[in-house]
Amino acid sequence: MLGLMLGAILTPAAFVRGLGVDDYKFSAMWYPKYGNLRSLAADSVGNVYVASAANNNIQKFSSNGSVLATWGVKGGENGQLNYPEGIAVDGYGYVYVCDQNNHRIQKFTIGGEFVAKWGSKGSGDGQFNVARSIAVDGSGNVYVADVLNKRIQKFTSSGEYLAQWGSQGTGDGQFSTSFFVAVDDYGNVYATDEGSNRVQKFNSRGEFMTKWGGPGTGDGQFNHPEGIAVDGSGCVYVVETLSARVQKFTGSGVFLSKWGSMGAVIDGQFSGPMGVAVDGRGNVYVADTGNSRIQKFTPSIVTVLEVKVVDGAGNPVSGARVASDVQPASQVQLFGLTDADGLTYFPGLKPGNYKVQIDKTGYVGGSQTIAVVEGQTTVAQSQINLKPVLGKIKVMVKDASGKPISGAAIASTAQPTGQSALSGTTGSDGTAEFSDILLGSYTLQASKSGYVSALIQGNAVAESVSVLSIILQVQTSGGGIPGFPYEASILGLLIYGVYIVYARTRQNHLLT
């Protein structure tokens, strides 16, 4: 069955509303073997990836701190690292690392296998001078904070240079000192600016959109903001090194929540925190750098929409676009791409009805309204089916001399099951085309007054144009003159007879 089927199953869960100081609760903490924890990233299922700069390695943990993998040693060869700091993970199973002192980006699988690299020291396109932070959008585009060059560079997932923006300063689109980047599912880029104590927002082309913040310790103010992250609902999280706290905002900079204080004894205290990440379920992870530990915080109230997209055989479909056409009042539009497991999450939602549209190139999309319940996770299993593979047939009609015949009627007398009969007329070039037709065998008839109809058989083939040529012979039945249609021959004989009668009558008149 073509189309989309969505079903909702309600299960208990938790997520943040972001309405007060106590919206997040401490839930876990661990001390990685390798310290100097400066940045981290989380994937949709809660695995946490930590860059340990001084130890030149990457550590992968479960959402509760169990070690899953470790890779990297100091060096400049493929897979080796020299003071790695920025780290990001995409939805397709790849990890991107700012190999800072090697002035390059390295790409790995989520298991640590080297995939690719790009960059060198300098200020040209694709070069870096202290690449400190990195982010990846839903389409796989990579954004790098090129700190000493005071710019953000944009690349494809394989390292092809696309664009750059930024310069030294405190104006819109400028950066004063160190800065970190994050990106939402729309490709909007958010950058902290430690020296200016603000957050700037750009679109995916680097055009300045808005900014917020200012020096201070009040709500919405910053004291050396560094790490930054964006969740599936477009909410922005900023960690402040000197204020030792996390603040949460809407994507336009409206303050929502905060937590944390300076210390090392009580859960939820920080010492010089530098990195922050959010997984698909809204759990927030903080690199508590000065205390050499990772802390995890769980929202106290959770309203989440989880969508899993599968094909007709039940296999997960990655890269499917999931977006809301209708959502509750004041709720931002949802937008996300499914990961390698066919999953995408939208945490921190307002309860209510969401009309969700799912699309992917080559598939038949669809939509359905889903009721999201406050304080719960609404799970939607969605099936999309591949579009049928279609073909194209081009019919060329000519006479015996090879001259195109226009105005010839083309019709199919046999076609594949499920395909409606084809019907068309040749144009001035003697051709008729039939696009987006089912693959298989077709029998086509060409006919035109004055010509003998003819049949031809051919096949519509996937991703190809099948060209069929039909030659129509002039109709000569009933004693017609060769080379002329029968009707023209009769008319010619009649005219000839009239002429003979006229000639003889005139001749008799002259003789008399």
Side-chain angles (χ1 to χ4, degrees), residues 393 414 416 440-444 456-461 466-468:
I393 288 179
S441 177
Y442 290 80
T443 301
L444 298 168
I456 192 169
Q457 190 274 333
N459 295 309
V461 182
S466 300
V467 179
L468 306 179

PDB file of all heavy atoms in Angstrom, residues 393 414 416 440-444 456-461 466-468:
ATOM      1  N   ILE A 393       8.671   6.204 -22.735  1.00  0.00           N
ATOM      2  CA  ILE A 393       8.723   5.716 -24.117  1.00  0.00           C
ATOM      3  C   ILE A 393       8.550   6.899 -25.064  1.00  0.00           C
ATOM      4  O   ILE A 393       7.669   7.746 -24.863  1.00  0.00           O
ATOM      5  CB  ILE A 393       7.629   4.659 -24.386  1.00  0.00           C
ATOM      6  CG1 ILE A 393       7.975   3.340 -23.679  1.00  0.00           C
ATOM      7  CG2 ILE A 393       7.471   4.415 -25.882  1.00  0.00           C
ATOM      8  CD1 ILE A 393       6.926   2.264 -23.876  1.00  0.00           C
ATOM      9  N   ALA A 414      -1.907  -2.850 -25.744  1.00  0.00           N
ATOM     10  CA  ALA A 414      -1.542  -3.740 -24.636  1.00  0.00           C
ATOM     11  C   ALA A 414      -0.533  -3.008 -23.769  1.00  0.00           C
ATOM     12  O   ALA A 414       0.347  -2.308 -24.277  1.00  0.00           O
ATOM     13  CB  ALA A 414      -0.969  -5.052 -25.157  1.00  0.00           C
ATOM     14  N   PRO A 416       1.306  -3.010 -19.340  1.00  0.00           N
ATOM     15  CA  PRO A 416       1.441  -3.763 -18.089  1.00  0.00           C
ATOM     16  C   PRO A 416       0.206  -3.625 -17.201  1.00  0.00           C
ATOM     17  O   PRO A 416      -0.523  -2.629 -17.260  1.00  0.00           O
ATOM     18  CB  PRO A 416       2.668  -3.127 -17.419  1.00  0.00           C
ATOM     19  CG  PRO A 416       3.430  -2.499 -18.539  1.00  0.00           C
ATOM     20  CD  PRO A 416       2.399  -2.035 -19.508  1.00  0.00           C
ATOM     21  N   GLY A 440       7.671  -2.384 -18.271  1.00  0.00           N
ATOM     22  CA  GLY A 440       7.115  -3.592 -18.869  1.00  0.00           C
ATOM     23  C   GLY A 440       6.891  -3.438 -20.359  1.00  0.00           C
ATOM     24  O   GLY A 440       7.349  -2.479 -20.995  1.00  0.00           O
ATOM     25  N   SER A 441       6.134  -4.390 -20.917  1.00  0.00           N
ATOM     26  CA  SER A 441       5.937  -4.472 -22.367  1.00  0.00           C
ATOM     27  C   SER A 441       4.696  -3.695 -22.804  1.00  0.00           C
ATOM     28  O   SER A 441       3.647  -3.772 -22.154  1.00  0.00           O
ATOM     29  CB  SER A 441       5.810  -5.934 -22.784  1.00  0.00           C
ATOM     30  OG  SER A 441       5.552  -6.043 -24.170  1.00  0.00           O
ATOM     31  N   TYR A 442       4.849  -2.944 -23.909  1.00  0.00           N
ATOM     32  CA  TYR A 442       3.753  -2.170 -24.484  1.00  0.00           C
ATOM     33  C   TYR A 442       3.628  -2.500 -25.964  1.00  0.00           C
ATOM     34  O   TYR A 442       4.641  -2.671 -26.667  1.00  0.00           O
ATOM     35  CB  TYR A 442       3.999  -0.663 -24.343  1.00  0.00           C
ATOM     36  CG  TYR A 442       3.908  -0.146 -22.925  1.00  0.00           C
ATOM     37  CD1 TYR A 442       4.966  -0.299 -22.040  1.00  0.00           C
ATOM     38  CD2 TYR A 442       2.758   0.491 -22.480  1.00  0.00           C
ATOM     39  CE1 TYR A 442       4.885   0.174 -20.748  1.00  0.00           C
ATOM     40  CE2 TYR A 442       2.656   0.972 -21.186  1.00  0.00           C
ATOM     41  CZ  TYR A 442       3.734   0.813 -20.320  1.00  0.00           C
ATOM     42  OH  TYR A 442       3.644   1.278 -19.034  1.00  0.00           O
ATOM     43  N   THR A 443       2.374  -2.600 -26.467  1.00  0.00           N
ATOM     44  CA  THR A 443       2.107  -2.679 -27.900  1.00  0.00           C
ATOM     45  C   THR A 443       1.432  -1.373 -28.304  1.00  0.00           C
ATOM     46  O   THR A 443       0.378  -1.018 -27.752  1.00  0.00           O
ATOM     47  CB  THR A 443       1.211  -3.869 -28.253  1.00  0.00           C
ATOM     48  OG1 THR A 443       1.853  -5.080 -27.833  1.00  0.00           O
ATOM     49  CG2 THR A 443       0.967  -3.927 -29.760  1.00  0.00           C
ATOM     50  N   LEU A 444       2.044  -0.671 -29.254  1.00  0.00           N
ATOM     51  CA  LEU A 444       1.559   0.651 -29.639  1.00  0.00           C
ATOM     52  C   LEU A 444       1.132   0.655 -31.103  1.00  0.00           C
ATOM     53  O   LEU A 444       1.792   0.047 -31.958  1.00  0.00           O
ATOM     54  CB  LEU A 444       2.648   1.696 -29.415  1.00  0.00           C
ATOM     55  CG  LEU A 444       3.111   1.861 -27.962  1.00  0.00           C
ATOM     56  CD1 LEU A 444       4.376   2.691 -27.899  1.00  0.00           C
ATOM     57  CD2 LEU A 444       2.022   2.514 -27.140  1.00  0.00           C
ATOM     58  N   ILE A 456       3.724  -1.673 -33.145  1.00  0.00           N
ATOM     59  CA  ILE A 456       5.097  -1.950 -32.734  1.00  0.00           C
ATOM     60  C   ILE A 456       5.084  -2.306 -31.251  1.00  0.00           C
ATOM     61  O   ILE A 456       4.243  -1.827 -30.491  1.00  0.00           O
ATOM     62  CB  ILE A 456       6.025  -0.740 -32.988  1.00  0.00           C
ATOM     63  CG1 ILE A 456       7.490  -1.164 -32.834  1.00  0.00           C
ATOM     64  CG2 ILE A 456       5.687   0.416 -32.046  1.00  0.00           C
ATOM     65  CD1 ILE A 456       8.475  -0.114 -33.316  1.00  0.00           C
ATOM     66  N   GLN A 457       5.984  -3.187 -30.856  1.00  0.00           N
ATOM     67  CA  GLN A 457       6.077  -3.619 -29.469  1.00  0.00           C
ATOM     68  C   GLN A 457       7.406  -3.159 -28.877  1.00  0.00           C
ATOM     69  O   GLN A 457       8.444  -3.207 -29.547  1.00  0.00           O
ATOM     70  CB  GLN A 457       5.953  -5.143 -29.372  1.00  0.00           C
ATOM     71  CG  GLN A 457       5.791  -5.701 -27.974  1.00  0.00           C
ATOM     72  CD  GLN A 457       7.117  -5.937 -27.258  1.00  0.00           C
ATOM     73  OE1 GLN A 457       8.147  -6.155 -27.895  1.00  0.00           O
ATOM     74  NE2 GLN A 457       7.083  -5.869 -25.932  1.00  0.00           N
ATOM     75  N   GLY A 458       7.375  -2.682 -27.625  1.00  0.00           N
ATOM     76  CA  GLY A 458       8.601  -2.253 -26.964  1.00  0.00           C
ATOM     77  C   GLY A 458       8.451  -2.301 -25.458  1.00  0.00           C
ATOM     78  O   GLY A 458       7.349  -2.525 -24.933  1.00  0.00           O
ATOM     79  N   ASN A 459       9.542  -2.099 -24.744  1.00  0.00           N
ATOM     80  CA  ASN A 459       9.554  -2.176 -23.291  1.00  0.00           C
ATOM     81  C   ASN A 459       9.939  -0.838 -22.668  1.00  0.00           C
ATOM     82  O   ASN A 459      10.854  -0.167 -23.155  1.00  0.00           O
ATOM     83  CB  ASN A 459      10.533  -3.248 -22.809  1.00  0.00           C
ATOM     84  CG  ASN A 459      10.112  -4.640 -23.220  1.00  0.00           C
ATOM     85  OD1 ASN A 459       8.971  -5.041 -22.995  1.00  0.00           O
ATOM     86  ND2 ASN A 459      11.025  -5.376 -23.846  1.00  0.00           N
ATOM     87  N   ALA A 460       9.249  -0.471 -21.585  1.00  0.00           N
ATOM     88  CA  ALA A 460       9.656   0.663 -20.764  1.00  0.00           C
ATOM     89  C   ALA A 460      10.676   0.154 -19.760  1.00  0.00           C
ATOM     90  O   ALA A 460      10.415  -0.802 -19.024  1.00  0.00           O
ATOM     91  CB  ALA A 460       8.451   1.273 -20.050  1.00  0.00           C
ATOM     92  N   VAL A 461      11.850   0.793 -19.725  1.00  0.00           N
ATOM     93  CA  VAL A 461      12.972   0.339 -18.907  1.00  0.00           C
ATOM     94  C   VAL A 461      13.270   1.394 -17.845  1.00  0.00           C
ATOM     95  O   VAL A 461      13.158   2.595 -18.102  1.00  0.00           O
ATOM     96  CB  VAL A 461      14.219   0.091 -19.792  1.00  0.00           C
ATOM     97  CG1 VAL A 461      15.379  -0.422 -18.945  1.00  0.00           C
ATOM     98  CG2 VAL A 461      13.882  -0.896 -20.895  1.00  0.00           C
ATOM     99  N   SER A 466      12.980   4.647 -23.771  1.00  0.00           N
ATOM    100  CA  SER A 466      12.881   3.650 -24.843  1.00  0.00           C
ATOM    101  C   SER A 466      12.354   4.335 -26.098  1.00  0.00           C
ATOM    102  O   SER A 466      11.240   4.885 -26.088  1.00  0.00           O
ATOM    103  CB  SER A 466      11.951   2.513 -24.422  1.00  0.00           C
ATOM    104  OG  SER A 466      12.439   1.865 -23.271  1.00  0.00           O
ATOM    105  N   VAL A 467      13.141   4.323 -27.160  1.00  0.00           N
ATOM    106  CA  VAL A 467      12.770   4.985 -28.413  1.00  0.00           C
ATOM    107  C   VAL A 467      12.275   3.933 -29.396  1.00  0.00           C
ATOM    108  O   VAL A 467      12.995   2.983 -29.724  1.00  0.00           O
ATOM    109  CB  VAL A 467      13.960   5.758 -29.008  1.00  0.00           C
ATOM    110  CG1 VAL A 467      13.540   6.418 -30.324  1.00  0.00           C
ATOM    111  CG2 VAL A 467      14.471   6.790 -28.022  1.00  0.00           C
ATOM    112  N   LEU A 468      11.041   4.092 -29.861  1.00  0.00           N
ATOM    113  CA  LEU A 468      10.429   3.166 -30.813  1.00  0.00           C
ATOM    114  C   LEU A 468      10.133   3.911 -32.107  1.00  0.00           C
ATOM    115  O   LEU A 468       9.588   5.021 -32.079  1.00  0.00           O
ATOM    116  CB  LEU A 468       9.138   2.588 -30.237  1.00  0.00           C
ATOM    117  CG  LEU A 468       9.230   1.927 -28.850  1.00  0.00           C
ATOM    118  CD1 LEU A 468       7.864   1.428 -28.418  1.00  0.00           C
ATOM    119  CD2 LEU A 468      10.241   0.788 -28.857  1.00  0.00           C
TER     120      LEU A 468
END
